[in-house]
Amino acid sequence: MDPDAVKSTLSNLAFGNVMAAAARNYQKEVLANEKAQGSNPVNEEVDVDELMDDPELERLHADRIAALKREVEKRESFKRQGHGEYREVSEGDFLGEVTRSEKVICHFYHKEFYRCKIMDKHLKTLAPRHVDTKFIKVDAENAPFFVTKLAIKTLPCVVLFSKGVAMDRLVGFQDLGTKDDFTTNKLENVLLKKGMLSKKKKEEDDEDAEYQESIRRSVRSSENLDSDSD
């Protein structure tokens, strides 16, 4: 996320425009779904102002805004540490890179090895998905000291660091089915089980589902009130 995008996001959050737009878009979606199902509600109009005044929805709005602000700030902090992208580092920079971040995934590779290129492709995909983990790679030919120190014998070798300590590793494709056609999701699941990636994404998806369900309940409540008043 570039600085301009972050500034724009924070500005929208400050004025609450994101939440108002979400409510309006959901209103349109609900009405469209009702028409598609052949329903014939007594009163199809939903007052967005009344929807936004719902206490439960207001609380969820405030919580969501605060969570989004914290997420933006955290992502920017991680990016300043070199997270969010798959980068090559030199032997001279290696020690600083693995000790400055809590979780680091480092691929020791050889530029001529086909399997190293396969691993590169998957790690490059995962890096922006998991900003709380740093993804780097080191040319094994140009880092003889650490190759020896870490007893790296087979490439590709992905060493997993936690707080600067090498806790585990993936040697070749042994943990990935031993074949070249493993998927990015397969690698992601292996790294999740080894504790190198965060499971927060699922929790955030659950929060989003709860938020959307609250909007649905508020819309139904508003429609029922309109119907009763008639």
Side-chain angles (χ1 to χ4, degrees):
M1 184 181 293
D2 60 40
D4 290 337
V6 172
K7 189 180 296 181
S8 174
T9 299
L10 291 176
S11 176
N12 285 338
L13 290 174
F15 289 100
N17 289 340
V18 170
M19 299 308 161
R24 293 188 180 91
N25 288 340
Y26 188 74
Q27 175 196 2
K28 293 177 183 178
E29 181 184 338
V30 168
L31 295 178
N33 287 340
E34 287 177 345
K35 291 178 181 179
Q37 294 170 3
S39 61
N40 185 26
V42 175
N43 189 341
E44 288 189 347
E45 291 299 323
V46 177
D47 191 327
V48 174
D49 291 332
E50 289 183 6
L51 183 62
M52 296 300 290
D53 288 338
D54 182 274
E56 182 182 359
L57 199 54
E58 284 183 353
R59 178 184 62 79
L60 283 172
H61 286 170
D63 290 346
R64 193 63 182 150
I65 288 172
L68 286 170
K69 284 182 178 179
R70 288 194 299 271
E71 185 64 24
V72 168
E73 291 168 358
K74 188 168 75 171
R75 287 178 70 88
E76 288 308 302
S77 174
F78 279 134
K79 284 199 170 188
R80 287 192 292 271
Q81 298 175 50
H83 294 225
E85 60 181 336
Y86 182 49
R87 300 177 295 114
E88 179 158 4
V89 301
S90 67
E91 184 174 55
D93 293 333
F94 173 77
L95 200 56
E97 292 284 356
V98 299
T99 56
R100 282 197 297 266
S101 297
E102 182 175 352
K103 293 184 290 187
V104 180
I105 294 173
C106 180
H107 174 206
F108 283 86
Y109 78 99
H110 190 290
K111 60 186 177 182
E112 300 297 333
F113 289 5
Y114 176 67
R115 283 196 161 187
C116 290
K117 295 177 182 178
I118 293 175
M119 184 62 74
D120 273 342
K121 178 187 72 173
H122 294 300
L123 293 174
K124 185 177 181 180
T125 300
L126 290 176
R129 285 189 199 172
H130 298 276
V131 183
D132 51 343
T133 298
K134 180 184 287 184
F135 289 77
I136 58 176
K137 65 178 181 176
V138 174
D139 187 336
E141 280 191 311
N142 296 327
F145 176 80
F146 287 109
V147 166
T148 301
K149 192 74 173 176
L150 294 167
I152 295 172
K153 305 293 185 184
T154 303
L155 300 178
C157 182
V158 179
V159 184
L160 312 178
F161 292 88
S162 177
K163 298 179 180 179
V165 178
M167 304 298 293
D168 204 345
R169 64 183 63 195
L170 306 181
V171 179
F173 293 170
Q174 290 176 10
D175 293 283
L176 301 164
T178 71
K179 295 183 179 180
D180 295 354
D181 60 352
F182 66 90
T183 64
T184 301
N185 284 341
K186 173 68 174 178
L187 175 59
E188 184 176 36
N189 287 333
V190 169
L191 294 172
L192 277 166
K193 289 177 182 177
K194 291 181 178 292
M196 293 306 299
L197 303 180
S198 173
K199 295 182 180 179
K200 278 187 64 180
K201 187 176 186 302
K202 184 179 185 306
E203 295 172 1
E204 289 169 357
D205 288 344
D206 291 342
E207 288 177 3
D208 287 340
E210 178 186 354
Y211 174 74
Q212 293 297 335
E213 179 58 28
S214 177
I215 294 179
R216 292 186 183 95
R217 288 197 300 268
S218 296
V219 170
R220 293 190 200 105
S221 176
S222 177
E223 290 174 343
N224 290 336
L225 287 171
D226 288 342
S227 178
D228 291 344
S229 65
D230 289 343

